[in-house]
Amino acid sequence: MEVLGRTLISPFNNFWNTFSQDISINKEFIEQGHSLIFQDQGVDQTTPYPPRWIELPDPDLAYHVAHELSHLVLNSRKYPRLLIGNQFKDDSDQNRIKDDLQEFVDHVTINFLLKPFEFRNDFITQNTANGAIRGLSTSPVPKKNDPWLVTWAIRYCELKVGLNPNQWSTVEMLYQERVPKIVRIGEDLFSEIPLEGIDTQIKALDFMKESRQILGLDTKLFPILDSFSENLF
């Protein structure tokens, strides 16, 4: 397959053959780099400029497209969704936290989904590590009861999952120096990730519930949509 004229190298074809039946988007939209897959970085959203991801090295580009398509796989398979009370506005701290936690659970799940294909994303992870180091070095530490504490804790665990050991060691050191209390919460989140991976909707649901509890999020303000029963709890 090609995207914006770039050939997606192996192992993308293996990924596509495995999951194409779960991706209802027309293949032409994928090849066009449309926002239906790439959201605000879709070519129809960034025109007249090309999206930044199209400049990725070949291995990272194949990984990036597979990652974005994996979000559609989770939606198709009705993985759980975190909701929020309708009293909160789109730009509220609560809505941001909801998005952060949803993205975190999805990314942990996608990490296991893609693992058998052995994609390479060294360029992406190095950029992620560099950005995390800059942010941790310069951003003010959230104060007690600041909602940003939740985001920092979520980010800690997501970085630990996604970075390689060398990249993670520097980031972890900065967390330890600047926000040791957040490290404990992040480690609690990490300890709840199933060793065998999150490969079913039930495991994703359980992990989301455990994460919500560890982060101290009110279950009534942050309910979870159980796709199997369609009930809120």
Side-chain angles (χ1 to χ4, degrees):
M1 184 186 294
E2 292 188 354
V3 173
L4 296 178
R6 295 269 312 270
T7 299
L8 299 176
I9 66 171
S10 178
F12 183 84
N13 283 345
N14 290 338
F15 165 84
W16 179 254
N17 291 336
T18 302
F19 293 109
S20 59
Q21 69 273 14
D22 294 299
I23 300 170
S24 59
I25 295 291
N26 191 305
K27 189 177 178 180
E28 291 182 358
F29 285 122
I30 304 172
E31 294 170 338
Q32 294 166 5
H34 199 276
S35 59
L36 288 171
I37 300 94
F38 301 98
Q39 302 178 61
D40 63 347
Q41 285 299 304
V43 68
D44 52 308
Q45 297 292 325
T46 63
T47 300
Y49 304 102
R52 290 175 296 176
W53 51 263
I54 198 57
E55 300 298 329
L56 288 169
D58 286 344
D60 295 79
L61 179 63
Y63 166 84
H64 177 68
V65 176
H67 178 100
E68 294 303 315
L69 290 173
S70 294
H71 282 284
L72 302 182
V73 173
L74 299 189
N75 290 339
S76 173
R77 295 184 176 184
K78 299 187 182 300
Y79 273 68
R81 311 303 300 171
L82 187 68
L83 305 178
I84 193 171
N86 56 18
Q87 69 268 44
F88 298 114
K89 297 180 180 179
D90 289 346
D91 59 354
S92 67
D93 289 330
Q94 291 81 1
N95 198 59
R96 172 177 52 78
I97 290 169
K98 181 263 294 182
D99 290 343
D100 288 341
L101 182 54
Q102 182 69 62
E103 183 178 74
F104 164 61
V105 174
D106 286 350
H107 283 181
V108 172
T109 304
I110 288 171
N111 184 65
F112 283 107
L113 185 149
L114 295 180
K115 189 174 182 179
F117 300 99
E118 299 183 345
F119 280 97
R120 294 290 301 274
N121 62 343
D122 300 333
F123 183 87
I124 290 173
T125 57
Q126 189 58 59
N127 275 357
T128 300
N130 292 342
I133 290 168
R134 287 193 300 270
L136 286 167
S137 301
T138 60
S139 299
V141 174
K143 297 180 180 179
K144 184 179 181 180
N145 298 325
D146 187 334
W148 279 101
L149 287 168
V150 177
T151 295
W152 280 47
I154 292 171
R155 188 62 174 156
Y156 173 95
C157 189
E158 187 168 11
L159 289 166
K160 183 170 183 174
V161 170
L163 300 181
N164 69 42
N166 289 334
Q167 294 164 345
W168 170 242
S169 63
T170 303
V171 174
E172 183 182 26
M173 187 182 305
L174 283 170
Y175 264 102
Q176 292 281 6
E177 290 175 354
R178 302 206 68 199
V179 281
K181 291 183 179 180
I182 289 177
V183 170
R184 292 195 290 271
I185 300 172
E187 287 294 334
D188 286 343
L189 285 175
F190 186 80
S191 69
E192 291 299 329
I193 300 175
L195 294 177
E196 71 278 9
I198 300 176
D199 54 2
T200 67
Q201 296 94 328
I202 290 294
K203 289 179 182 178
L205 180 63
D206 289 342
F207 180 57
M208 185 176 283
K209 290 165 64 176
E210 291 294 336
S211 298
R212 182 182 59 181
Q213 181 178 350
I214 290 169
L215 294 167
L217 302 180
D218 189 303
T219 58
K220 293 182 180 179
L221 298 184
F222 292 86
I224 300 172
L225 179 63
D226 181 343
S227 299
F228 308 105
S229 65
E230 300 296 330
N231 291 327
L232 297 179
F233 56 94

